Amino acid sequence: MHRRTSIALLSVGHACVDVYQGAVAALVPYFVAERDYDYAAAAGLVLAASVLSSVAQPAFGLLTDRRAMPWLLPVATLLGGLGIALSGLGGSYALTLACVAVSGVGVAAYHPESARVARLASGNSHSAMAWFSVGGNLGFATSPLLVAAVVGTGGLRLTPLLVLPALAGIAVFLPVLSALHRWRAAGDAAAAAVREDDRASFVRLSLAVVCRSVVFVGLSTFLSLHAAERTGGGTAAGTAALFVLYAGGAVGAVLGGALADRFGRVAVCRWSYLLAIGAVAGVVFVPGPALYPFVALTSAGLYVPFSLQVTLAQDYLPSRIGTASGITLGLTVSIGGLASPLLGSIADATSLQTALAPLVAVQALTWLLFRTLPDPRRPPQRTRTPAR
């Protein structure tokens, strides 16, 4: 199978999985409306999906460094879908937490191995990895629309229909598993031989990813409610804001790959995160419909570095590509959930605007950490396509 075909299929599968990353935040307003959850309880759902994912993804990365597990792609996709599909059926808060936690574990199992095999299939191409990331971004972008179409029309009782993207993802992954198996041995040896590990830079990058995650997940959790308050447009206004936040990721990831080829990955990340400082401030403090352009700028600022962080982590830690992928690609959408209950508690005691204001400072810290990072030499691309 041609590399471009494999990357395209992996990108589609990535979209099917990351629907469930965005679905948790997209479901929050419906849990608030139907079950009278307060902000802290709603944020706890994001925490349930995030904590296990945050802990499990590096563990899955370690496992995939020791032994390739391409079968995790369909299995993890199914877990991610089942957890969200069942989340709206249980009447108790504990059962709902358990369901979203199962989905989080599925997503955790998926990301390290998927990033690893995507790097193999890409032949070390920034552009190919960017297209792989685009799939995940599109999954995020469509999740609020999918949730609104299903749950918005029939209530939480229809969440079982949300398993359909998982089934589609499984069907997409199956044809490429044999090709990925043929590339594995040569790709692992080439990746490990690129250079020695730069653990100090990897740690600083990981801290930057954590800060970026706090900002992104904090906004993802509360943006729909915040936009509804600031614009007076109700649930529709909140869904639109969340869609803008996620949709910008598709453009941002591709743009990031193109800019990195010209200016270098670290430089592009620095400028993007600098832009995001002002953009996040606009989201928090600008009232009315003028909020939406700042949401779009925030999306660009946070997503342009998205795929670049993954390849940077892999190049800082070339002997542990699975671990690097688990800590960066996974943490960008998981560990930030640890801060969401705190933001929810602040919002309950004061206001959403007050709770979101510290995200501006956290975004500034992301930029400061990137100022300390070197730009490693990119490994050579492998353009030869294996024979069938």
Side-chain angles (χ1 to χ4, degrees):
M1 181 178 291
H2 196 279
R3 289 186 185 277
R4 290 182 180 178
T5 303
S6 292
I7 285 293
L9 292 175
L10 287 169
S11 181
V12 172
H14 195 182
C16 293
V17 174
D18 275 5
V19 160
Y20 302 111
Q21 296 273 21
V24 178
L27 284 167
V28 162
Y30 300 99
F31 283 116
V32 170
E34 289 193 29
R35 298 183 179 177
D36 295 323
Y37 291 167
D38 60 18
Y39 289 138
L45 298 178
V46 180
L47 178 66
S50 300
V51 169
L52 286 177
S53 187
S54 300
V55 174
Q57 288 201 49
F60 280 111
L62 286 170
L63 289 175
T64 59
D65 281 330
R66 295 179 180 179
R67 184 176 183 179
M69 299 179 180
W71 53 267
L72 273 177
L73 273 63
V75 171
T77 301
L78 181 61
L79 281 178
L82 283 177
I84 294 299
L86 298 175
S87 65
L89 299 184
S92 72
Y93 184 71
L95 183 58
T96 302
L97 283 173
C99 288
V100 297
V102 167
S103 180
V105 170
V107 171
Y110 167 81
H111 277 100
E113 182 69 358
S114 68
R116 186 171 175 277
V117 297
R119 185 69 181 262
L120 297 178
S122 72
N124 293 321
S125 166
H126 286 331
S127 297
M129 286 296 292
W131 281 109
F132 169 70
S133 296
V134 163
N137 299 336
L138 289 175
F140 265 97
T142 54
S143 61
L145 301 180
L146 179 64
V147 169
V150 175
V151 182
T153 57
L156 291 171
R157 63 185 179 85
L158 293 186
T159 55
L161 293 177
L162 296 177
V163 77
L164 293 178
L167 300 180
I170 292 171
V172 165
F173 288 135
L174 294 179
V176 301
L177 292 184
S178 60
L180 295 171
H181 175 76
R182 288 197 299 270
W183 293 333
R184 187 179 67 242
D188 288 349
V194 170
R195 54 177 298 180
E196 294 182 356
D197 290 346
D198 183 353
R199 295 184 180 181
S201 293
F202 178 76
V203 169
R204 294 196 299 273
L205 172 65
S206 298
L207 291 174
V209 169
V210 168
C211 293
R212 186 264 187 198
S213 174
V214 169
V215 174
F216 182 80
V217 178
L219 289 177
S220 296
T221 304
F222 297 110
L223 180 61
S224 59
L225 297 171
H226 176 68
E229 286 185 0
R230 301 292 285 174
T231 64
T235 303
T239 299
L242 201 59
F243 175 76
V244 171
L245 179 67
Y246 291 165
V251 177
V254 174
L255 181 62
L259 291 174
D261 286 333
R262 182 171 182 180
F263 300 108
R265 288 171 290 180
V266 172
V268 171
C269 291
R270 287 171 182 166
W271 283 107
S272 297
Y273 284 143
L274 182 61
L275 167 69
I277 297 172
V280 172
V283 170
V284 174
F285 297 110
V286 171
L291 171 144
Y292 289 100
F294 286 101
V295 174
L297 288 174
T298 298
S299 180
L302 295 180
Y303 269 116
V304 163
F306 191 76
S307 65
L308 306 182
Q309 292 175 159
V310 180
T311 59
L312 276 171
Q314 292 172 337
D315 289 345
Y316 288 145
L317 209 63
S319 68
R320 296 289 185 270
I321 286 181
T323 301
S325 302
I327 292 175
T328 51
L329 182 61
L331 287 177
T332 58
V333 288
S334 60
I335 200 171
L338 296 172
S340 292
L342 175 60
L343 296 177
S345 297
I346 296 173
D348 286 331
T350 56
S351 68
L352 267 178
Q353 185 181 54
T354 301
L356 295 177
L359 297 182
V360 180
V362 177
Q363 181 55 43
L365 182 56
T366 307
W367 173 68
L368 290 172
L369 284 165
F370 258 92
R371 286 181 58 85
T372 70
L373 293 177
D375 200 339
R377 179 177 59 85
R378 182 175 59 179
Q381 295 186 20
R382 302 192 320 278
T383 57
R384 182 181 177 184
T385 302
R388 294 180 62 89

